[in-house]
Amino acid sequence: MEIRWLLRKLDLMNKIFLLLLFTTFNLVSQTYLTRTGSTEFKASVDAFEPIKASNNSTTVILKTNSGNLAAQLFITAFKFKVALMQEHFNENYMDTNEYPKAIFIGNLNNFNLSKISEVKQYSLSGKLMIRGIEKEISTIANVNLDDEKIIISTTFSVSPQDFNIKIPYAVRKKIANKINISLKYELTEKK
């Protein structure tokens, strides 16, 4: 019963993402997007082998009139230095066969494109869904314009427990309690 509810919820989040991606809220809204956004994470404790990966195929859309932002990535697109680590990540921790995507739907609060002349900080808040579980995220994002691109970068932390990720006792001391996530998106105007 709980799995069916989660699958329905995932379908709803995908529908919302697609709606944001393919519709225009109104005629004065500009849409900026990328399909090559960078998402990285570090989950290691300093004394042990680095557990980190990067994903350079995050799809992100931003509506400039509202600051609404949606991002989606395929978990299997994370690349690790060690292939075995990548295999364990996908099969044992993230269950990518059942939960292939991570989705973020949120807002750059009080976003105003016309007021960006240099790096400006905005509060970014929304819901991150991983493994069918939603978590509220609130952080500060740096936003600037560069050659007609909107560049958004931020960092935040989550816990494996936030998304019911079980860490085996044998490796528990090697994996950090907080996973540091870094994002960098270069969005161009959709014409």
Side-chain angles (χ1 to χ4, degrees):
M1 183 75 168
E2 184 175 306
I3 291 173
R4 285 186 191 150
W5 178 83
L6 288 173
L7 290 174
R8 273 190 255 127
K9 190 111 174 138
L10 179 61
D11 288 341
L12 177 61
M13 291 296 285
N14 282 331
K15 288 174 187 173
I16 292 170
F17 179 79
L18 291 173
L19 181 65
L20 285 172
L21 189 60
F22 295 114
T23 62
T24 303
F25 294 132
N26 62 45
L27 294 176
V28 296
S29 175
Q30 291 174 291
T31 302
Y32 280 74
L33 66 97
T34 185
R35 290 183 180 87
T36 58
S38 172
T39 304
E40 299 178 348
F41 75 84
K42 181 181 177 199
S44 53
V45 176
D46 289 337
F48 295 97
E49 183 175 9
I51 302 169
K52 59 183 180 177
S54 61
N55 181 326
N56 294 314
S57 59
T58 306
T59 300
V60 182
I61 185 167
L62 170 68
K63 293 293 188 173
T64 59
N65 71 328
S66 62
N68 288 341
L69 184 129
Q72 175 178 274
L73 63 80
F74 285 95
I75 302 292
T76 55
F78 276 106
K79 300 299 176 205
F80 290 74
K81 204 173 195 179
V82 178
L84 185 59
M85 209 177 274
Q86 185 166 334
E87 182 181 327
H88 287 304
F89 172 77
N90 286 308
E91 293 176 9
N92 301 338
Y93 299 106
M94 299 303 290
D95 299 319
T96 55
N97 285 337
E98 191 172 348
Y99 307 105
K101 301 174 193 172
I103 297 171
F104 176 81
I105 297 177
N107 187 269
L108 286 167
N109 300 306
N110 301 311
F111 181 76
N112 188 334
L113 183 60
S114 66
K115 291 189 177 181
I116 301 174
S117 58
E118 55 187 48
V119 176
K120 187 165 173 61
Q121 293 188 326
Y122 288 95
S123 171
L124 174 64
S125 58
K127 292 184 180 184
L128 175 63
M129 184 172 9
I130 298 174
R131 300 183 77 244
I133 299 169
E134 288 183 357
K135 175 169 176 47
E136 292 284 336
I137 299 294
S138 185
T139 188
I140 300 297
N142 294 313
V143 181
N144 66 304
L145 284 172
D146 185 21
D147 287 335
E148 298 185 18
K149 290 181 182 178
I150 297 176
I151 300 172
I152 302 171
S153 61
T154 190
T155 59
F156 61 93
S157 297
V158 295
S159 297
Q161 296 80 11
D162 292 339
F163 302 101
N164 275 341
I165 298 170
K166 307 285 188 240
I167 309 296
Y169 183 77
V171 295
R172 195 166 290 158
K173 291 184 179 181
K174 296 180 181 182
I175 298 176
N177 291 330
K178 291 287 184 183
I179 311 301
N180 297 318
I181 300 172
S182 301
L183 312 172
K184 184 170 183 184
Y185 305 142
E186 293 185 11
L187 299 102
T188 55
E189 186 174 4
K190 181 182 175 189
K191 304 221 182 215

